[in-house]
Amino acid sequence: MKAMYLKKAELGKLISSVQDSGALFVGPVVDAGNVVYKEIGSASELTGDYIIPVTTYKQWVFPQTEVVATFAVTKEGVDLDGVDLDPPDVVVFGARACEAASLASLRSVFTWGEDDEFYTRREDRITVITVGCTAIDDECFCTTVELSPASTTGSDIYLRETTDDEYMAVAVTKKGEAFIKAHHGVFHQKRAAEPELVELKLPEPIKGIKKEKISAWLARTDNYQSELWPRLTRKCFGCGACTFSCPTCHCFDITDEGTAFGGERRKNWDACQFDHFTAHASGHNPRDTQFKRWRNRFMCKFKYYPDKFKTTGCVGCGRCIRVCPVRLDITEVMEEISQISE
Amino acid sequence: MENLYLPKLVTIEDAYLETPDVKSFRLVFKDEALRESFTFKTGQFGLYSAFGLGESTFCISNAPTRKGYIQCTFRKTGRVTGGLFDLSIGDTMGFRGPFGNHFPIDEWKGKDITFIAGGIGLPPVRSVILNCLDRREDFGDITIVYGSRCVEDLVYKNELQHWNDRDDVALYQTVDPGGETPDWKGEVGFVPMILEKAAPKPKNSIAVICGPPIMIKFSLSVLEELGFSDNDVYTTLENKMKCGVGKCGRCNVGDIYICKEGPVYTAAEIKKMYYDF
């Protein structure tokens, strides 16, 4: 499929067209001073002035809370009903290349062995429209983890801004092609002259970081006891903001909410940074101090994801650095490990 | 839709108070077809629901050779186990499973087997013991070393009596010093000491061990002194679990997800793990 064009001024038409088809339109919106992804009604709510939203759009594939079953306890026993999920179509507009790459990572966990259809059914119905970055900040490090604003992995449609206030749209997947076809009235093909594209901004790769050196160092089980872990992560107090803002973090809790007579069983986001996450009922906790919990998160990103699920654990979006209240920078740990690794 | 998190309903057919805070249930599926078709392997576990409170993970403590029901034994410790503890015969619970790997008992044919358990560590081992006893001719000498803090804390007291009465099982029951009663006929001393006394032969021999970490640690040293290879010593790990299917991200010991890749490991495998206990 050839590149198509979309006028920024006609985004409203695209939104109406998407909404007419019954799908939700999600995009970056300013909310209480932060840019976040939200379901929107009209183009005026969208903002184009952002590096990356504070929150991820993973909540549309893996909601923060989700009912998996309902139950009622009666004298005769228990009435139990599983949820038969029929999720809406969702269009995410204005995603960034880094987090688009994260859907493959989430999928690899949720389909490891058995499929978690609460995830797969939602992901099957999502269309990701990425806009190439024309601005970056000091926290962006996608190029250090082998991605870039030009990466199309995980995007269904990849957009580049043009100097005359349009987007050049390239369908990356079949789903993207079908989307452009379905909303063909909004996209146009004809151009008088080849458009000039606004240049992509790429963060400089952090020189001291070498991914293969990190994985080699992590592979040595004795390094799990390294003094580096408590030393570099001492200031972490376990708020969990990094995990909730991370596009690849997948941990959840299963809890019952309701009364003794009935209620719901839910999947809720959880975080390996919380002290009770791994606490046994007996009181024993294998990750009883914060550095062990932080170490687990780092290992998960740079060892377990790549080795076990063959996908990337960190896409370099920099959210965990931006939201951290104590400014614990994951790239500093990556850098030190790269330096000491043989 | 295939819903991984939807439990199957089970009825408590029998309930037994093992100790003041440990209970055993015998469960049957409400769905009769499932009652017939359900199978599992020794060492696998399940997630048991007290509706309104949540789910808890314990092993299936009966043997797959005894079909038609599931048995579990648990200590009342937290919110969910407290809720389960309050249930009784005729009540409804939820069950998900079986999950995890199993003890490779088919590979143990012709070998001597030593079972070492402490306290509430006996239920997972019981599944293996029953399985081996039901196929008694497949194995050599069977030795069981079981201990708890005090006489009152021993679980499966009736079954222990039965094993004690068999002449093809060597049972060593013990309680920690000070835990004995005036009429206690068993040993007094910690499990590793009694294991030393039982002195199972290491050649062509398997050891299965489950109990508190401190017991495991010292029993492993005894087994090593006796000449057991780490490849012949099996245990079952446990960690907090929520999903049971490798998604919720909390039961991992380093890069190993106990729920999917465990819970059964050899001592040799455990020594290679990231130290995340």
Side-chain angles (χ1 to χ4, degrees):
Chain A
M1 195 182 223
K2 270 196 193 158
M4 303 287 281
Y5 295 89
L6 168 69
K7 290 195 174 77
K8 283 187 184 177
E10 291 191 349
L11 267 179
K13 272 198 197 168
L14 179 67
I15 295 169
S16 314
S17 178
V18 164
Q19 287 166 342
D20 289 347
S21 73
L24 307 182
F25 194 96
V26 170
V29 167
V30 179
D31 184 13
N34 287 316
V35 177
V36 296
Y37 285 111
K38 263 196 169 173
E39 188 195 335
I40 59 163
S42 70
S44 61
E45 296 169 55
L46 281 178
T47 176
D49 181 23
Y50 64 102
I51 307 287
I52 192 167
V54 184
T55 53
T56 67
Y57 60 76
K58 80 174 170 189
Q59 57 185 299
W60 280 277
V61 285
F62 171 36
Q64 197 156 5
T65 180
E66 172 149 52
V67 178
V68 295
T70 56
F71 56 87
V73 182
T74 64
K75 272 182 190 158
E76 289 74 40
V78 175
D79 293 326
L80 178 67
D81 283 306
V83 167
D84 193 14
L85 184 69
D86 182 21
D89 285 312
V90 176
V91 175
V92 176
F93 177 86
R96 294 306 189 195
C98 51
E99 66 177 327
S102 69
L103 284 184
S105 307
L106 288 177
R107 193 173 187 99
S108 66
V109 175
F110 285 115
T111 57
W112 184 40
E114 303 82 354
D115 284 3
D116 180 342
E117 293 194 22
F118 288 98
Y119 177 84
T120 56
R121 286 189 178 207
R122 285 182 190 278
E123 205 221 274
D124 290 346
R125 303 282 286 268
I126 198 167
T127 306
V128 178
I129 305 177
T130 301
V131 179
C133 304
T134 52
I136 51 167
D137 64 14
D138 290 346
E139 286 79 23
C140 289
F141 64 101
C142 57
T143 48
T144 306
V145 291
E146 293 155 7
L147 286 165
S148 105
S151 313
T152 56
T153 321
S155 303
D156 294 303
I157 298 171
Y158 182 79
L159 303 182
R160 285 281 303 268
E161 289 179 67
T162 66
T163 49
D164 53 357
D165 279 335
E166 294 200 11
Y167 292 110
M168 182 181 83
V170 177
V172 181
T173 61
K174 289 239 153 60
K175 208 195 263 178
E177 269 182 37
F179 180 87
I180 292 178
K181 276 188 190 137
H183 305 284
H184 59 88
V186 186
F187 293 91
H188 61 97
Q189 209 171 22
K190 193 166 54 72
R191 291 284 302 202
E194 199 59 13
E196 201 177 319
L197 297 171
V198 180
E199 214 172 303
L200 293 180
K201 280 266 169 51
L202 275 67
E204 197 63 36
I206 302 170
K207 282 200 187 66
I209 297 180
K210 296 276 174 286
K211 253 181 113 179
E212 55 294 346
K213 286 204 161 183
I214 297 175
S215 45
W217 191 84
L218 296 180
R220 291 186 45 178
T221 47
D222 52 338
N223 286 334
Y224 203 65
Q225 312 298 330
S226 166
E227 56 72 46
L228 166 152
W229 298 114
R231 176 166 52 79
L232 292 184
T233 66
R234 190 167 292 139
K235 61 185 175 182
C236 174
F237 59 77
C239 71
C242 50
T243 61
F244 282 8
S245 61
C246 176
T248 66
C249 275
H250 63 83
C251 291
F252 61 88
D253 194 1
I254 299 176
T255 52
D256 283 4
E257 292 175 15
T259 66
F261 305 106
E264 297 161 338
R265 180 154 292 173
R266 283 172 177 269
K267 254 171 96 181
N268 294 325
W269 283 2
D270 205 347
C272 62
Q273 298 307 298
F274 294 154
D275 57 358
H276 53 264
F277 185 70
T278 49
H280 295 189
S282 65
H284 175 69
N285 190 350
R287 294 182 210 136
D288 55 356
T289 40
Q290 194 56 35
F291 86 84
K292 294 180 185 171
R293 305 192 268 273
W294 203 93
R295 178 181 64 190
N296 180 71
R297 182 162 187 274
F298 191 90
M299 294 289 291
C300 180
K301 302 297 176 205
F302 297 101
K303 178 92 184 111
Y304 311 157
Y305 255 117
D307 287 9
K308 221 175 192 67
F309 307 118
K310 312 289 175 214
T311 47
T312 178
C314 175
V315 295
C317 67
R319 283 192 177 95
C320 57
I321 309 170
R322 290 184 203 99
V323 300
C324 183
V326 294
R327 199 74 190 169
L328 180 42
D329 186 337
I330 197 166
T331 62
E332 286 173 15
V333 181
M334 292 164 75
E335 199 163 354
E336 175 153 350
I337 290 176
S338 303
Q339 299 307 319
I340 59 174
S341 175
E342 302 280 299
Chain B
M1 155 173 171
E2 193 66 42
N3 185 340
L4 292 180
Y5 310 110
L6 182 67
K8 300 281 189 288
L9 293 177
V10 291
T11 306
I12 302 173
E13 199 181 53
D14 200 5
Y16 189 78
L17 194 64
E18 303 283 357
T19 81
D21 62 354
V22 174
K23 223 172 183 179
S24 292
F25 285 149
R26 180 181 162 117
L27 308 167
V28 291
F29 288 105
K30 290 206 189 260
D31 180 345
E32 277 181 33
L34 188 58
R35 215 177 287 175
E36 293 297 312
S37 64
F38 180 81
T39 54
F40 67 97
K41 289 186 167 150
T42 191
Q44 289 191 296
F45 64 90
L47 282 130
Y48 302 80
S49 293
F51 290 102
L53 295 166
E55 282 182 312
S56 232
T57 314
F58 345 108
C59 66
I60 303 173
S61 66
N62 56 310
T65 41
R66 303 176 183 197
K67 290 189 192 307
Y69 61 93
I70 293 169
Q71 280 176 313
C72 66
T73 298
F74 59 94
R75 172 173 285 150
K76 173 175 148 181
T77 318
R79 194 166 63 126
V80 178
T81 48
L84 290 173
F85 198 85
D86 290 342
L87 298 178
S88 198
I89 299 171
D91 287 340
T92 302
M93 286 169 48
F95 175 85
R96 286 198 291 133
F99 296 128
N101 67 354
H102 58 276
F103 289 96
I105 63 168
D106 289 332
E107 295 167 19
W108 300 348
K109 275 186 190 169
K111 297 189 179 192
D112 293 345
I113 305 178
T114 305
F115 298 98
I116 305 146
I120 191 83
L122 186 58
V125 175
R126 173 186 184 249
S127 174
V128 200
I129 295 175
L130 294 184
N131 207 340
C132 291
L133 291 181
D134 287 347
R135 303 167 45 178
R136 186 66 191 87
E137 67 284 2
D138 283 349
F139 307 99
D141 292 346
I142 289 185
T143 309
I144 302 170
V145 180
Y146 175 53
S148 68
R149 283 172 301 191
C150 57
V151 176
E152 196 178 38
D153 275 357
L154 294 164
V155 298
Y156 306 137
K157 292 184 183 75
N158 295 338
E159 218 145 26
L160 288 169
Q161 188 57 51
H162 171 69
W163 297 339
N164 204 27
D165 292 344
R166 288 179 70 135
D167 52 13
D168 58 355
V169 173
L171 174 70
Y172 295 80
Q173 297 180 70
T174 182
V175 292
D176 291 354
E180 68 272 29
T181 49
D183 57 351
W184 174 243
K185 303 261 181 342
E187 310 277 348
V188 175
F190 298 110
V191 167
M193 295 160 56
I194 306 304
L195 174 64
E196 214 167 2
K197 190 174 157 186
K201 287 186 217 58
K203 209 182 151 214
N204 200 26
S205 191
I206 294 290
V208 177
I209 182 164
C210 188
I214 193 81
M215 183 211 88
I216 293 186
K217 188 179 165 186
F218 288 105
S219 299
L220 286 178
S221 318
V222 172
L223 288 172
E224 205 173 311
E225 272 168 41
L226 288 170
F228 275 79
S229 147
D230 283 344
N231 291 311
D232 295 330
V233 178
Y234 288 80
T235 190
T236 167
L237 296 177
E238 70 161 10
N239 249 349
K240 186 163 177 172
M241 294 180 194
K242 286 288 182 172
C243 71
V245 286
K247 321 269 185 230
C248 81
R250 77 193 65 221
C251 69
N252 61 314
V253 172
D255 56 346
I256 294 191
Y257 279 72
I258 292 183
C259 67
K260 271 189 93 72
E261 295 159 289
V264 176
Y265 295 99
T266 62
E269 288 166 332
I270 289 174
K271 282 184 180 166
K272 284 190 209 138
M273 290 179 188
Y274 289 99
Y275 193 82
D276 197 11
F277 299 103

